Amino acid sequence: MKTEALFYEKIKDKVHCFLCPHNCVIKDGHFGKCNVRIHEDGKLFTINYGEVTSISLDPIEKKPLYYFRPSTQILSVGSFGCNFTCDFCQNYSISQSVAQSTFVPKEDLVETVMTTKNNIGIAFTYNEPSIWYEYVYDSAKLLKEADKNASTVLVTNGYISEEPLKELFPYIDAMNIDLKSFSTRYYKDLCGGSLNPVLKTIEMAAKACHVEITTLLVTGENDSLEEVEEIARFLNTVNPDIPLHLSRYFPRYKLQSAPTDISFMRKAEETAGRYLHKVILGNI
Ligand code: SF4
Protein backbone atom coordinates (compact mmCIF):
# COMPACT_ATOMS: atom_id res chain seq x y z
CA MET A 1 0.00 0.00 0.00
CA LYS A 2 1.27 3.44 -0.82
CA THR A 3 1.45 5.72 2.19
CA GLU A 4 3.20 8.98 3.03
CA ALA A 5 6.74 8.35 4.24
CA LEU A 6 8.35 9.55 7.45
CA PHE A 7 11.70 11.36 7.65
CA TYR A 8 11.72 13.61 4.62
CA GLU A 9 11.69 17.33 3.85
CA LYS A 10 10.80 19.36 0.83
CA ILE A 11 13.63 21.30 -0.81
CA LYS A 12 12.32 23.57 -3.58
CA ASP A 13 11.02 21.19 -6.29
CA LYS A 14 12.69 18.10 -4.79
CA VAL A 15 12.37 16.06 -1.58
CA HIS A 16 15.21 15.00 0.69
CA CYS A 17 14.74 11.59 2.34
CA PHE A 18 16.82 11.17 5.48
CA LEU A 19 15.59 7.75 6.59
CA CYS A 20 18.89 6.17 5.64
CA PRO A 21 22.42 7.49 5.11
CA HIS A 22 21.97 7.63 1.34
CA ASN A 23 20.12 10.92 1.98
CA CYS A 24 18.51 10.80 -1.45
CA VAL A 25 17.39 14.08 -2.98
CA ILE A 26 14.60 12.99 -5.30
CA LYS A 27 13.02 14.71 -8.29
CA ASP A 28 9.26 14.61 -8.81
CA GLY A 29 8.19 11.26 -10.27
CA HIS A 30 11.43 9.51 -9.29
CA PHE A 31 12.32 6.85 -6.72
CA GLY A 32 15.13 6.93 -4.17
CA LYS A 33 17.96 4.39 -4.27
CA CYS A 34 15.86 1.83 -2.37
CA ASN A 35 13.26 1.84 -5.17
CA VAL A 36 10.41 1.88 -2.66
CA ARG A 37 10.18 5.63 -1.91
CA ILE A 38 8.81 7.90 -4.59
CA HIS A 39 8.47 11.67 -4.83
CA GLU A 40 5.00 12.67 -6.03
CA ASP A 41 4.01 16.28 -6.20
CA GLY A 42 6.06 17.53 -3.26
CA LYS A 43 5.42 14.51 -1.02
CA LEU A 44 7.43 11.36 -0.41
CA PHE A 45 5.55 8.07 -0.41
CA THR A 46 6.62 4.54 0.47
CA ILE A 47 5.06 1.85 -1.73
CA ASN A 48 5.73 -1.20 0.45
CA TYR A 49 3.69 -0.32 3.56
CA GLY A 50 2.18 -3.61 4.79
CA GLU A 51 3.22 -5.40 1.60
CA VAL A 52 4.33 -8.87 2.71
CA THR A 53 6.30 -11.15 0.38
CA SER A 54 7.23 -13.87 2.89
CA ILE A 55 6.00 -15.03 6.28
CA SER A 56 7.23 -18.08 8.15
CA LEU A 57 7.68 -19.46 11.66
CA ASP A 58 11.44 -19.90 12.02
CA PRO A 59 13.77 -21.06 14.80
CA ILE A 60 15.31 -17.93 16.40
CA GLU A 61 18.74 -19.41 15.66
CA LYS A 62 17.98 -19.03 11.94
CA LYS A 63 17.94 -15.19 12.16
CA PRO A 64 20.72 -15.82 13.37
CA LEU A 65 20.32 -15.06 17.08
CA TYR A 66 21.99 -17.66 19.30
CA TYR A 67 21.87 -15.85 22.63
CA PHE A 68 18.37 -14.38 22.59
CA ARG A 69 15.60 -16.70 23.88
CA PRO A 70 17.35 -19.82 22.46
CA SER A 71 15.37 -22.84 21.23
CA THR A 72 12.26 -20.76 20.53
CA GLN A 73 10.51 -19.92 17.28
CA ILE A 74 9.62 -16.51 15.87
CA LEU A 75 7.21 -15.43 13.16
CA SER A 76 9.41 -13.95 10.45
CA VAL A 77 8.10 -11.50 7.91
CA GLY A 78 9.51 -9.49 5.02
CA SER A 79 8.56 -7.18 2.19
CA PHE A 80 10.49 -6.03 -0.90
CA GLY A 81 13.21 -3.45 -1.50
CA CYS A 82 16.63 -2.68 -0.07
CA ASN A 83 18.96 0.29 0.28
CA PHE A 84 21.97 -1.88 -0.62
CA THR A 85 22.72 -3.64 -3.91
CA CYS A 86 25.00 -6.46 -2.72
CA ASP A 87 26.41 -8.50 -5.60
CA PHE A 88 26.05 -11.65 -3.45
CA CYS A 89 22.53 -10.98 -2.13
CA GLN A 90 20.87 -14.17 -0.88
CA ASN A 91 17.36 -12.70 -1.33
CA TYR A 92 17.81 -10.66 -4.50
CA SER A 93 14.37 -11.59 -5.90
CA ILE A 94 12.68 -9.57 -3.15
CA SER A 95 15.46 -7.08 -2.35
CA GLN A 96 16.27 -5.79 -5.82
CA SER A 97 12.84 -5.62 -7.42
CA VAL A 98 9.20 -4.95 -6.59
CA ALA A 99 8.17 -8.52 -5.87
CA GLN A 100 4.66 -9.93 -5.73
CA SER A 101 3.19 -9.21 -2.30
CA THR A 102 0.04 -9.35 -0.20
CA PHE A 103 -1.19 -6.41 1.85
CA VAL A 104 -1.44 -7.34 5.54
CA PRO A 105 -2.87 -4.62 7.82
CA LYS A 106 -0.77 -4.16 10.97
CA GLU A 107 -3.69 -5.29 13.14
CA ASP A 108 -3.89 -8.57 11.21
CA LEU A 109 -0.16 -9.10 11.50
CA VAL A 110 -0.26 -8.56 15.26
CA GLU A 111 -3.22 -10.92 15.60
CA THR A 112 -1.34 -13.57 13.63
CA VAL A 113 1.67 -13.11 15.92
CA MET A 114 -0.48 -13.52 19.01
CA THR A 115 -2.46 -16.52 17.80
CA THR A 116 0.44 -18.51 16.32
CA LYS A 117 1.35 -21.34 18.66
CA ASN A 118 4.91 -21.68 19.97
CA ASN A 119 5.80 -18.20 18.74
CA ILE A 120 7.70 -15.61 20.79
CA GLY A 121 6.94 -12.59 18.60
CA ILE A 122 7.96 -11.12 15.29
CA ALA A 123 11.18 -10.80 13.30
CA PHE A 124 11.41 -8.30 10.44
CA THR A 125 13.77 -10.03 8.04
CA TYR A 126 14.18 -11.41 4.47
CA ASN A 127 14.42 -7.91 2.97
CA GLU A 128 15.84 -4.80 4.67
CA PRO A 129 13.54 -3.62 7.51
CA SER A 130 15.08 -0.10 7.54
CA ILE A 131 13.34 0.81 4.31
CA TRP A 132 10.08 -0.85 5.48
CA TYR A 133 10.28 1.54 8.40
CA GLU A 134 6.75 2.89 8.74
CA TYR A 135 5.16 -0.57 8.84
CA VAL A 136 7.87 -2.03 11.05
CA TYR A 137 7.45 0.85 13.50
CA ASP A 138 3.64 0.68 13.54
CA SER A 139 3.50 -3.12 13.87
CA ALA A 140 6.22 -3.39 16.52
CA LYS A 141 4.55 -0.63 18.60
CA LEU A 142 1.12 -2.22 18.26
CA LEU A 143 2.46 -5.63 19.24
CA LYS A 144 4.21 -4.23 22.33
CA GLU A 145 1.00 -2.46 23.37
CA ALA A 146 -0.93 -5.71 22.99
CA ASP A 147 1.64 -7.94 24.71
CA LYS A 148 4.72 -6.41 26.31
CA ASN A 149 6.32 -9.87 26.60
CA ALA A 150 6.23 -10.51 22.86
CA SER A 151 9.66 -10.18 21.29
CA THR A 152 10.49 -7.95 18.35
CA VAL A 153 13.57 -8.56 16.20
CA LEU A 154 15.25 -6.76 13.29
CA VAL A 155 17.59 -8.55 10.91
CA THR A 156 19.24 -5.61 9.22
CA ASN A 157 22.19 -4.22 7.29
CA GLY A 158 22.34 -1.42 9.87
CA TYR A 159 22.11 1.27 7.18
CA ILE A 160 19.66 3.60 8.86
CA SER A 161 19.93 7.18 10.11
CA GLU A 162 20.24 7.91 13.81
CA GLU A 163 16.91 9.68 14.35
CA PRO A 164 14.63 6.94 12.97
CA LEU A 165 16.73 4.30 14.70
CA LYS A 166 16.35 6.01 18.08
CA GLU A 167 12.61 6.28 17.61
CA LEU A 168 12.35 2.56 16.84
CA PHE A 169 14.49 1.29 19.75
CA PRO A 170 11.72 1.39 22.42
CA TYR A 171 9.84 -1.28 20.44
CA ILE A 172 12.77 -3.55 19.52
CA ASP A 173 14.26 -6.29 21.72
CA ALA A 174 17.00 -7.74 19.56
CA MET A 175 18.88 -7.08 16.34
CA ASN A 176 21.13 -9.09 14.12
CA ILE A 177 23.20 -6.55 12.21
CA ASP A 178 25.33 -7.36 9.18
CA LEU A 179 28.84 -6.00 9.41
CA LYS A 180 29.70 -7.00 5.88
CA SER A 181 33.30 -5.87 5.91
CA PHE A 182 35.64 -3.41 7.57
CA SER A 183 36.54 -1.82 4.26
CA THR A 184 34.98 1.31 2.79
CA ARG A 185 35.88 0.01 -0.69
CA TYR A 186 33.95 -3.23 -0.10
CA TYR A 187 30.85 -1.38 1.11
CA LYS A 188 31.01 1.00 -1.85
CA ASP A 189 31.85 -1.45 -4.64
CA LEU A 190 29.99 -4.59 -3.61
CA CYS A 191 27.06 -3.19 -1.60
CA GLY A 192 26.47 0.36 -2.79
CA GLY A 193 26.72 1.77 0.74
CA SER A 194 29.28 2.92 3.27
CA LEU A 195 30.87 1.50 6.40
CA ASN A 196 30.75 4.23 9.05
CA PRO A 197 26.96 4.50 9.43
CA VAL A 198 26.83 0.74 10.06
CA LEU A 199 29.47 1.02 12.80
CA LYS A 200 27.41 3.82 14.36
CA THR A 201 24.25 1.68 14.27
CA ILE A 202 26.10 -1.16 16.02
CA GLU A 203 27.35 1.18 18.76
CA MET A 204 23.89 2.64 19.32
CA ALA A 205 22.07 -0.71 19.17
CA ALA A 206 24.44 -2.33 21.65
CA LYS A 207 23.26 0.21 24.24
CA ALA A 208 19.58 -0.23 23.40
CA CYS A 209 18.88 -3.95 22.92
CA HIS A 210 20.37 -7.42 22.46
CA VAL A 211 22.74 -7.40 19.45
CA GLU A 212 24.44 -10.11 17.42
CA ILE A 213 26.56 -9.46 14.34
CA THR A 214 26.89 -11.41 11.09
CA THR A 215 29.82 -11.19 8.68
CA LEU A 216 29.67 -13.13 5.43
CA LEU A 217 33.22 -14.07 4.46
CA VAL A 218 33.32 -13.83 0.67
CA THR A 219 36.05 -15.57 -1.29
CA GLY A 220 38.53 -13.10 -2.77
CA GLU A 221 36.73 -10.09 -1.28
CA ASN A 222 36.95 -10.04 2.53
CA ASP A 223 38.40 -13.47 3.37
CA SER A 224 41.50 -12.12 5.06
CA LEU A 225 42.47 -12.69 8.68
CA GLU A 226 43.51 -9.03 8.95
CA GLU A 227 39.99 -7.92 8.14
CA VAL A 228 38.43 -10.47 10.50
CA GLU A 229 40.76 -9.14 13.19
CA GLU A 230 39.69 -5.53 12.50
CA ILE A 231 36.02 -6.50 12.79
CA ALA A 232 36.58 -8.42 16.04
CA ARG A 233 38.72 -5.66 17.50
CA PHE A 234 36.04 -3.07 16.75
CA LEU A 235 33.31 -5.23 18.33
CA ASN A 236 35.55 -5.75 21.36
CA THR A 237 35.61 -1.98 21.89
CA VAL A 238 31.79 -1.92 21.79
CA ASN A 239 31.30 -5.01 23.99
CA PRO A 240 33.36 -8.25 23.91
CA ASP A 241 30.18 -10.22 24.75
CA ILE A 242 28.58 -9.38 21.40
CA PRO A 243 28.22 -12.68 19.50
CA LEU A 244 29.83 -12.68 16.04
CA HIS A 245 28.50 -15.05 13.37
CA LEU A 246 31.08 -15.71 10.68
CA SER A 247 29.12 -17.03 7.78
CA ARG A 248 30.39 -19.08 4.86
CA TYR A 249 29.67 -17.64 1.42
CA PHE A 250 28.21 -19.61 -1.49
CA PRO A 251 27.92 -18.31 -5.08
CA ARG A 252 24.74 -16.30 -5.51
CA TYR A 253 23.24 -13.59 -7.70
CA LYS A 254 26.06 -11.67 -9.50
CA LEU A 255 29.00 -13.18 -7.59
CA GLN A 256 30.17 -16.60 -8.68
CA SER A 257 33.45 -17.08 -6.77
CA ALA A 258 34.05 -20.43 -5.07
CA PRO A 259 32.53 -21.04 -1.60
CA THR A 260 34.66 -19.81 1.30
CA ASP A 261 37.50 -22.15 2.15
CA ILE A 262 36.58 -24.19 5.24
CA SER A 263 40.07 -24.09 6.73
CA PHE A 264 39.99 -20.29 6.41
CA MET A 265 36.68 -20.26 8.28
CA ARG A 266 38.34 -22.14 11.18
CA LYS A 267 41.27 -19.73 11.25
CA ALA A 268 38.86 -16.78 11.17
CA GLU A 269 37.00 -18.25 14.15
CA GLU A 270 40.26 -18.53 16.06
CA THR A 271 41.32 -14.97 15.15
CA ALA A 272 37.99 -13.41 16.16
CA GLY A 273 37.99 -15.51 19.32
CA ARG A 274 41.05 -13.62 20.57
CA TYR A 275 38.84 -10.51 20.92
CA LEU A 276 35.32 -11.85 21.46
CA HIS A 277 33.78 -14.37 23.85
CA LYS A 278 31.22 -15.74 21.38
CA VAL A 279 32.16 -16.56 17.78
CA ILE A 280 29.88 -18.87 15.78
CA LEU A 281 30.54 -20.32 12.34
CA GLY A 282 27.53 -20.40 10.00
CA ASN A 283 26.71 -22.17 6.71
CA ILE A 284 29.34 -24.86 7.19
S1 SF4 B 1 15.34 5.19 2.47
FE1 SF4 B 1 15.43 5.05 0.23
S2 SF4 B 1 14.87 7.07 -0.53
FE2 SF4 B 1 15.37 7.29 1.65
S3 SF4 B 1 17.53 7.89 1.69
FE3 SF4 B 1 17.46 5.65 1.90
S4 SF4 B 1 17.62 4.85 -0.22
FE4 SF4 B 1 17.11 7.04 -0.36
Side-chain angles (χ1 to χ4, degrees):
M1 188 178 88
K2 193 161 83 177
T3 192
E4 191 171 356
L6 295 169
F7 304 105
Y8 81 93
E9 61 185 347
K10 200 163 179 288
I11 307 175
K12 293 185 185 160
D13 57 343
K14 297 181 181 146
V15 297
H16 165 215
C17 174
F18 49 93
L19 174 58
C20 93
H22 282 310
N23 276 297
C24 298
V25 175
I26 311 168
K27 284 193 226 163
D28 195 12
H30 287 72
F31 282 93
K33 282 190 177 177
C34 55
N35 284 323
V36 296
R37 279 157 203 273
I38 184 167
H39 173 189
E40 283 180 1
D41 219 5
K43 287 187 172 176
L44 186 68
F45 293 92
T46 175
I47 62 165
N48 63 358
Y49 187 93
E51 296 296 335
V52 171
T53 56
S54 325
I55 187 159
S56 169
L57 189 65
D58 286 342
I60 192 83
E61 286 80 5
K62 206 175 158 188
K63 300 303 98 193
L65 290 172
Y66 272 41
Y67 295 90
F68 178 78
R69 303 187 68 177
S71 304
T72 58
Q73 297 189 102
I74 190 158
L75 197 74
S76 302
V77 63
S79 184
F80 55 81
C82 190
N83 49 3
F84 277 1
T85 52
C86 301
D87 287 355
F88 45 79
C89 183
Q90 303 294 301
N91 286 333
Y92 64 92
S93 63
I94 56 168
S95 73
Q96 302 301 314
S97 54
V98 176
Q100 196 175 358
S101 58
T102 304
F103 178 67
V104 180
K106 62 181 186 294
E107 295 81 5
D108 291 9
L109 182 68
V110 166
E111 192 181 339
T112 305
V113 171
M114 295 183 61
T115 54
T116 301
K117 287 202 170 69
N118 302 318
N119 173 34
I120 63 164
I122 190 152
F124 298 97
T125 177
Y126 305 135
N127 77 315
E128 175 49 46
S130 304
I131 52 99
W132 205 24
Y133 186 91
E134 293 79 1
Y135 186 69
V136 169
Y137 179 92
D138 287 352
S139 307
K141 186 167 183 273
L142 192 65
L143 178 60
K144 285 293 185 187
E145 284 164 1
D147 178 3
K148 65 178 171 37
N149 295 319
S151 294
T152 48
V153 166
L154 298 181
V155 181
T156 174
N157 62 20
Y159 208 61
I160 181 169
S161 303
E162 291 182 27
E163 187 187 342
L165 184 60
K166 273 189 204 153
E167 289 195 19
L168 191 55
F169 276 148
Y171 310 108
I172 299 299
D173 298 302
M175 292 169 74
N176 184 296
I177 306 171
D178 272 355
L179 178 52
K180 293 175 188 285
S181 162
F182 215 72
S183 143
T184 47
R185 180 208 62 82
Y186 184 104
Y187 264 95
K188 183 167 169 285
D189 293 352
L190 272 84
C191 307
S194 55
L195 169 65
N196 284 337
V198 179
L199 300 181
K200 186 73 196 171
T201 294
I202 292 170
E203 287 170 340
M204 288 171 66
K207 292 183 188 135
C209 64
H210 176 85
V211 169
E212 302 192 19
I213 303 294
T214 298
T215 301
L216 183 72
L217 294 170
V218 181
T219 309
E221 300 292 346
N222 65 351
D223 57 344
S224 88
L225 292 180
E226 291 73 27
E227 189 157 349
V228 170
E229 186 165 2
E230 282 184 296
I231 287 170
R233 197 185 289 151
F234 164 75
L235 293 175
N236 172 283
T237 65
V238 180
N239 182 345
D241 280 328
I242 291 179
L244 172 63
H245 299 259
L246 295 172
S247 191
R248 189 180 186 216
Y249 150 88
F250 286 90
R252 190 88 175 136
Y253 192 34
K254 295 179 184 168
L255 212 62
Q256 295 299 321
S257 331
T260 325
D261 181 67
I262 290 276
S263 64
F264 172 78
M265 297 293 298
R266 300 272 176 224
K267 285 183 204 149
E269 179 185 26
E270 192 188 313
T271 300
R274 294 207 290 270
Y275 298 89
L276 299 168
H277 301 141
K278 298 162 190 153
V279 181
I280 306 107
L281 294 186
N283 279 350
I284 61 164

